Amino acid sequence: MSTPDPLHLVCPHCLATNRVAAQHLHSAPDCGKCHRPLFTAHPLAVDEASFDKHLARSDVPLLVDFWAPWCGPCRMMAPAFEAAAAQLEPQMRLLKVNTEEQQALAARFQIRSIPTLALFHHGREVARQPGAMRQADIVRWAHAALAGQRGG
C-alpha cells in the first residue's frame, strides 16, 4: 500500500508553499517557513499576486468571495462567509477578493454581479454562485459543488 502524495498548501501569512500529508490536515499544521498556522478558520483577503499563488500552488479547493465594500448584500453575507470558514477549513481555503481594489482580478474572472462565490480546484474554476447566501447555504453549496466536480 503506497503513501498518498502530500498536499501543497500556501501559507496565508508568508505565502510559502508547504507540503502536508493529507492525514495531518486536521491536526493544525504550521508553516515550515514562518511557523504560523496554515489554517486560521477565517477567510483570507487577497490581492492578485497572492490569489495567483494560492490558485497555482494549493492542492485544497479555494472558495472565493468576490465582493465590494459599497455592496449591501456583500456586507450582509460577510459574517456568514466568515463563519463558513470555520466549518470548511481545512478541506478548503476561503479567500476574499475586494473587486474595488482588485479590478483586474474581477475582470479576469468576468465577475458581473457581487457577491459572487467561485470554487476553484487544481487551478481552474469549477463552480460559481452569484448572490448573498447564509452560512449553511454556503457550506452546503461548496460541498455539493466540490462533490459534483469530483464526479460523486
Side-chain angles (χ1 to χ4, degrees), residues 12-72:
H13 310 287
C14 72
L15 298 179
T17 301
N18 291 262
R19 291 168 34 127
V20 177
Q23 66 266 28
H24 296 298
L25 274 184
H26 291 283
S27 59
D30 289 335
C31 176
K33 182 176 179 184
C34 73
H35 308 290
R36 294 174 70 186
L38 288 175
F39 291 99
T40 64
H42 298 284
L44 177 63
V46 293
D47 61 15
E48 189 168 13
S50 58
F51 176 89
D52 287 341
K53 177 90 180 219
H54 282 278
L55 188 64
R57 300 293 299 152
S58 287
D59 287 333
V60 296
L62 305 174
L63 181 59
V64 183
D65 175 16
F66 289 92
W67 70 285
W70 52 262
C71 166

Side-chain angles (χ1 to χ4, degrees), residues 43 63-65 77-85 94-96 117 135 138:
L63 181 59
V64 183
D65 175 16
M77 188 175 85
F81 193 72
E82 176 84 20
L94 278 69
L95 305 177
K96 290 186 71 75
L117 294 182
Q135 174 189 350
I138 293 168

Side-chain angles (χ1 to χ4, degrees), residues 88-124:
L88 293 169
E89 286 188 352
Q91 299 90 359
M92 297 180 193
R93 164 95 58 212
L94 278 69
L95 305 177
K96 290 186 71 75
V97 173
N98 180 337
T99 58
E100 286 293 297
E101 295 175 355
Q102 305 303 323
Q103 292 181 14
L105 200 50
R108 187 167 109 202
F109 290 102
Q110 300 176 351
I111 302 301
R112 302 276 186 248
S113 65
I114 53 173
T116 291
L117 294 182
L119 182 65
F120 296 84
H121 197 211
H122 299 303
R124 65 182 183 87

